[in-house]
Protein backbone atom coordinates (compact mmCIF):
# COMPACT_ATOMS: atom_id res chain seq x y z
CA UNK A 1 0.00 0.00 0.00
CA UNK A 2 1.32 3.43 -0.90
CA UNK A 3 2.56 5.45 2.02
CA UNK A 4 2.73 2.61 4.53
CA UNK A 5 6.36 3.38 5.32
CA UNK A 6 5.68 7.02 6.02
CA UNK A 7 5.53 10.36 4.26
CA UNK A 8 8.62 11.98 2.77
CA UNK A 9 8.55 15.67 1.91
CA UNK A 10 10.89 16.33 -0.99
CA UNK A 11 11.92 20.00 -1.11
CA UNK A 12 13.52 20.58 -4.49
CA UNK A 13 12.73 22.72 -7.53
CA UNK A 14 14.36 20.62 -10.23
CA UNK A 15 11.95 18.19 -11.88
CA UNK A 16 14.88 16.16 -13.19
CA UNK A 17 15.49 15.27 -9.54
CA UNK A 18 11.99 15.29 -8.02
CA UNK A 19 10.34 13.06 -10.63
CA UNK A 20 12.63 10.02 -10.48
CA UNK A 21 13.08 10.39 -6.71
CA UNK A 22 9.32 10.62 -6.05
CA UNK A 23 8.72 7.57 -8.21
CA UNK A 24 11.42 5.62 -6.41
CA UNK A 25 10.06 6.63 -2.98
CA UNK A 26 6.52 5.58 -3.92
CA UNK A 27 7.83 2.29 -5.34
CA UNK A 28 9.44 1.69 -1.93
CA UNK A 29 6.16 2.22 -0.12
CA UNK A 30 6.55 5.86 0.92
CA UNK A 31 4.12 8.65 0.28
CA UNK A 32 6.09 11.38 -1.52
CA UNK A 33 5.11 15.07 -1.47
CA UNK A 34 7.06 17.66 -3.43
CA UNK A 35 7.55 21.34 -2.51
CA UNK A 36 9.53 23.56 -4.89
CA UNK A 37 10.04 26.68 -2.77
CA UNK A 38 10.94 27.70 0.79
CA UNK A 39 7.41 29.03 1.38
CA UNK A 40 5.72 25.90 0.07
CA UNK A 41 8.07 23.62 2.01
CA UNK A 42 7.17 25.28 5.32
CA UNK A 43 3.46 25.32 4.54
CA UNK A 44 3.42 21.63 3.57
CA UNK A 45 5.63 20.64 6.51
CA UNK A 46 3.21 22.27 8.95
CA UNK A 47 0.05 20.80 7.42
CA UNK A 48 1.36 17.35 6.48
CA UNK A 49 3.75 16.61 9.38
CA UNK A 50 6.00 14.39 7.24
CA UNK A 51 8.11 11.57 8.70
CA UNK A 52 11.23 12.81 6.93
CA UNK A 53 12.30 15.81 4.84
CA UNK A 54 14.72 15.68 1.90
CA UNK A 55 15.95 19.23 1.56
CA UNK A 56 17.66 20.91 -1.40
CA UNK A 57 19.76 23.97 -0.56
CA UNK A 58 19.27 25.98 -3.77
CA UNK A 59 15.61 27.00 -3.99
CA UNK A 60 14.05 29.76 -6.15
CA UNK A 61 12.88 31.95 -3.25
CA UNK A 62 15.73 31.34 -0.80
CA UNK A 63 17.98 28.76 0.78
CA UNK A 64 17.15 25.31 2.08
CA UNK A 65 19.14 26.38 5.14
CA UNK A 66 16.31 28.80 5.93
CA UNK A 67 13.85 25.91 5.67
CA UNK A 68 16.03 23.90 8.05
CA UNK A 69 16.19 26.73 10.60
CA UNK A 70 12.44 27.38 10.43
CA UNK A 71 11.56 23.68 10.59
CA UNK A 72 13.62 23.23 13.73
CA UNK A 73 11.56 25.98 15.32
CA UNK A 74 8.52 23.71 15.38
CA UNK A 75 9.56 20.18 14.46
CA UNK A 76 12.16 17.48 15.17
CA UNK A 77 11.41 15.71 11.86
CA UNK A 78 14.52 14.01 10.43
CA UNK A 79 16.10 16.17 7.70
CA UNK A 80 18.50 14.94 5.02
CA UNK A 81 20.05 17.70 2.92
CA UNK A 82 20.64 17.35 -0.80
CA UNK A 83 23.83 19.33 -1.40
CA UNK A 84 26.04 20.18 -4.36
CA UNK A 85 29.50 18.73 -4.56
CA UNK A 86 32.06 21.09 -3.05
CA UNK A 87 29.57 23.02 -0.91
CA UNK A 88 31.17 21.99 2.36
CA UNK A 89 30.13 25.23 4.08
CA UNK A 90 26.45 24.53 3.32
CA UNK A 91 26.70 21.03 4.72
CA UNK A 92 28.27 22.18 7.97
CA UNK A 93 25.78 25.05 8.28
CA UNK A 94 22.88 22.65 7.68
CA UNK A 95 24.13 20.15 10.26
CA UNK A 96 24.60 22.97 12.76
CA UNK A 97 21.03 24.10 12.10
CA UNK A 98 19.82 20.62 13.02
CA UNK A 99 19.85 18.57 9.80
CA UNK A 100 20.52 14.90 10.49
CA UNK A 101 22.53 13.93 7.45
CA UNK A 102 23.24 14.85 3.84
CA UNK A 103 23.78 13.34 0.41
CA UNK A 104 25.92 14.91 -2.28
CA UNK A 105 24.69 15.53 -5.84
CA UNK A 106 24.76 13.79 -8.21
CA UNK A 107 23.18 10.90 -6.33
CA UNK A 108 21.15 7.89 -7.39
CA UNK A 109 17.59 7.39 -6.12
CA UNK A 110 18.83 4.12 -4.63
CA UNK A 111 21.47 5.94 -2.58
CA UNK A 112 18.94 8.47 -1.25
CA UNK A 113 16.45 5.76 -0.33
CA UNK A 114 19.13 3.79 1.52
CA UNK A 115 19.88 6.93 3.53
CA UNK A 116 16.17 7.60 4.17
CA UNK A 117 15.71 4.05 5.45
CA UNK A 118 18.81 4.28 7.62
CA UNK A 119 17.67 7.53 9.23
CA UNK A 120 14.14 6.25 9.84
CA UNK A 121 15.29 2.84 11.05
CA UNK A 122 17.66 4.34 13.59
CA UNK A 123 14.95 6.70 14.77
CA UNK A 124 12.46 3.91 15.33
CA UNK A 125 15.00 1.51 16.75
CA UNK A 126 14.13 -0.35 19.91
CA UNK A 127 17.23 -1.78 21.47
CA UNK A 128 17.00 -5.43 22.51
CA UNK A 129 17.29 -6.55 26.12
CA UNK A 130 15.02 -3.98 27.80
CA UNK A 131 17.17 -1.00 26.89
CA UNK A 132 14.10 1.23 26.98
CA UNK A 133 14.80 1.92 30.64
CA UNK A 134 15.70 5.43 31.73
CA UNK A 135 19.43 6.13 31.86
CA UNK A 136 20.57 8.73 34.42
CA UNK A 137 24.12 10.03 34.75
CA UNK A 138 24.98 13.16 36.68
CA UNK A 139 22.31 15.77 35.96
CA UNK A 140 21.30 14.08 32.74
CA UNK A 141 18.36 11.74 32.35
CA UNK A 142 17.42 9.98 29.13
CA UNK A 143 14.16 8.15 28.51
CA UNK A 144 14.49 6.00 25.36
CA UNK A 145 10.85 4.93 25.52
CA UNK A 146 9.60 8.52 25.37
CA UNK A 147 12.53 9.70 23.24
CA UNK A 148 13.09 12.52 25.70
CA UNK A 149 15.99 13.85 27.74
CA UNK A 150 16.35 16.21 30.70
CA UNK A 151 19.38 18.17 31.83
CA UNK A 152 19.30 19.33 35.47
CA UNK A 153 15.53 18.84 35.44
CA UNK A 154 14.97 20.89 32.27
CA UNK A 155 13.72 19.16 29.09
CA UNK A 156 16.30 19.12 26.29
CA UNK A 157 15.35 19.94 22.72
CA UNK A 158 17.23 17.25 20.77
CA UNK A 159 17.01 16.25 17.13
CA UNK A 160 16.60 12.59 16.26
CA UNK A 161 20.30 12.08 15.60
CA UNK A 162 21.41 14.06 18.66
CA UNK A 163 19.18 11.82 20.74
CA UNK A 164 20.58 8.65 19.16
CA UNK A 165 24.13 9.90 19.63
CA UNK A 166 23.52 10.80 23.27
CA UNK A 167 21.84 7.46 23.94
CA UNK A 168 24.70 5.55 22.30
CA UNK A 169 27.27 7.46 24.35
CA UNK A 170 25.34 7.08 27.61
CA UNK A 171 24.79 3.35 27.07
CA UNK A 172 28.58 2.96 26.93
CA UNK A 173 29.31 5.46 29.71
CA UNK A 174 32.80 5.10 31.09
CA UNK A 175 34.13 3.36 27.95
CA UNK A 176 35.64 4.86 24.83
CA UNK A 177 33.64 4.63 21.62
CA UNK A 178 35.66 5.04 18.44
CA UNK A 179 34.50 7.45 15.77
CA UNK A 180 33.79 4.49 13.50
CA UNK A 181 31.65 2.77 16.13
CA UNK A 182 29.64 5.93 16.69
CA UNK A 183 29.11 6.53 12.98
CA UNK A 184 28.11 2.93 12.44
CA UNK A 185 25.69 2.83 15.39
CA UNK A 186 24.08 6.21 14.90
CA UNK A 187 24.12 6.64 11.11
CA UNK A 188 24.01 2.97 10.22
CA UNK A 189 26.62 3.03 7.51
CA UNK A 190 30.21 3.96 7.11
CA UNK A 191 30.67 6.55 4.45
CA UNK A 192 32.95 9.35 3.54
CA UNK A 193 30.93 12.34 4.75
CA UNK A 194 30.11 11.02 8.19
CA UNK A 195 33.21 12.22 9.99
CA UNK A 196 32.12 15.81 9.54
CA UNK A 197 28.54 14.85 10.40
CA UNK A 198 29.74 13.23 13.64
CA UNK A 199 31.88 16.21 14.65
CA UNK A 200 29.10 18.71 14.08
CA UNK A 201 26.63 16.59 16.04
CA UNK A 202 29.06 16.17 18.94
CA UNK A 203 29.61 19.94 19.12
CA UNK A 204 25.86 20.56 18.93
CA UNK A 205 25.24 18.07 21.70
CA UNK A 206 27.98 19.60 23.85
CA UNK A 207 26.39 23.01 23.41
CA UNK A 208 23.02 21.67 24.54
CA UNK A 209 24.68 19.88 27.48
CA UNK A 210 26.45 23.19 28.32
CA UNK A 211 29.63 21.10 28.17
CA UNK A 212 32.94 22.95 27.77
CA UNK A 213 35.08 20.88 25.33
CA UNK A 214 38.21 21.92 27.29
CA UNK A 215 36.81 20.80 30.63
CA UNK A 216 33.82 18.60 29.79
CA UNK A 217 31.44 17.28 32.38
CA UNK A 218 29.91 14.68 30.04
CA UNK A 219 31.48 14.14 26.60
CA UNK A 220 35.25 13.64 26.68
CA UNK A 221 37.37 13.64 23.53
CA UNK A 222 39.84 10.77 23.37
CA UNK A 223 42.35 12.18 20.95
CA UNK A 224 42.90 10.13 17.80
CA UNK A 225 40.30 7.55 18.92
CA UNK A 226 36.85 8.87 19.61
CA UNK A 227 34.71 9.91 22.56
CA UNK A 228 33.92 8.74 26.08
CA UNK A 229 30.86 9.67 28.09
CA UNK A 230 31.53 10.24 31.80
CA UNK A 231 30.85 7.24 33.98
CA UNK A 232 28.24 7.57 36.76
CA UNK A 233 30.93 8.37 39.36
CA UNK A 234 32.49 11.21 37.38
CA UNK A 235 29.57 13.28 36.12
CA1 LIG B 1 17.57 23.40 -6.59
Amino acid sequence: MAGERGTVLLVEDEEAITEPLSEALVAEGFRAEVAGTVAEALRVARSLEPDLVLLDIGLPDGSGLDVCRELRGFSQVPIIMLTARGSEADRVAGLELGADDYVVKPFSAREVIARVRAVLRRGARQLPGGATETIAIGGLELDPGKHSAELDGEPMDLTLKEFDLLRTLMESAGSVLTREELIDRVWDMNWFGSTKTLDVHVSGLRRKLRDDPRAPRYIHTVRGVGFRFSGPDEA
Side-chain angles (χ1 to χ4, degrees):
M1 199 176 87
E4 67 192 1
R5 304 184 74 142
T7 299
V8 175
L9 171 59
L10 175 52
V11 183
E12 166 69 272
D13 56 317
E14 288 167 62
E15 279 184 14
I17 291 175
T18 57
E19 281 186 2
L21 205 45
S22 297
E23 276 177 29
L25 284 164
V26 170
E28 288 293 320
F30 292 98
R31 176 179 171 196
E33 291 289 329
V34 176
T37 63
V38 170
E40 196 186 358
L42 292 171
R43 188 168 48 75
V44 176
R46 281 180 193 280
S47 62
L48 204 66
E49 297 183 1
D51 298 291
L52 186 138
V53 176
L54 290 169
L55 181 60
D56 182 38
I57 301 297
L59 296 167
D61 59 337
S63 165
L65 295 176
D66 298 329
V67 177
C68 194
R69 186 183 295 112
E70 294 274 323
L71 268 178
R72 281 291 173 253
F74 65 90
S75 167
Q76 296 300 341
V77 63
I79 299 173
I80 302 176
M81 292 181 289
L82 311 175
T83 65
R85 203 204 318 250
S87 58
E88 176 82 1
D90 281 345
R91 291 199 273 278
V92 173
L95 292 168
E96 285 177 347
L97 288 170
D100 297 279
D101 205 348
Y102 61 85
V103 286
V104 179
K105 294 179 181 180
F107 45 69
S108 64
R110 182 188 292 247
E111 186 186 347
V112 175
I113 282 165
R115 205 62 62 75
V116 166
R117 280 180 165 166
V119 165
L120 290 177
R121 186 163 55 238
R122 283 310 191 197
R125 177 180 64 157
Q126 288 291 325
L127 292 184
T132 51
E133 283 168 30
T134 301
I135 313 169
I137 295 172
L140 191 58
E141 200 172 301
L142 195 85
D143 185 340
K146 290 190 193 146
H147 227 263
S148 66
E150 285 187 358
L151 176 64
D152 302 326
E154 298 281 321
M156 293 182 75
D157 195 16
L158 299 175
T159 67
L160 185 83
K161 286 293 149 190
E162 284 170 346
F163 184 88
D164 285 349
L165 179 59
L166 184 57
R167 176 164 70 176
T168 304
L169 285 163
M170 288 180 83
E171 281 168 355
S172 297
S175 324
V176 180
L177 285 168
T178 67
R179 305 175 64 83
E180 290 72 25
E181 282 171 326
L182 281 168
I183 289 165
D184 185 54
R185 291 195 204 171
V186 178
W187 281 272
D188 213 20
M189 55 177 80
N190 207 338
W191 62 290
F192 179 72
S194 289
T195 289
K196 180 62 76 183
T197 304
L198 175 65
D199 286 330
V200 175
H201 276 80
V202 167
S203 338
L205 205 45
R206 274 178 166 153
R207 224 167 17 245
K208 291 185 182 180
L209 290 167
R210 299 191 286 274
D211 225 359
D212 177 357
R214 283 160 303 181
R217 183 180 173 198
Y218 295 113
I219 302 177
H220 304 262
T221 302
V222 182
R223 209 163 289 282
V225 183
F227 299 95
R228 184 178 61 82
F229 199 88
S230 289
D233 309 335
E234 309 168 69

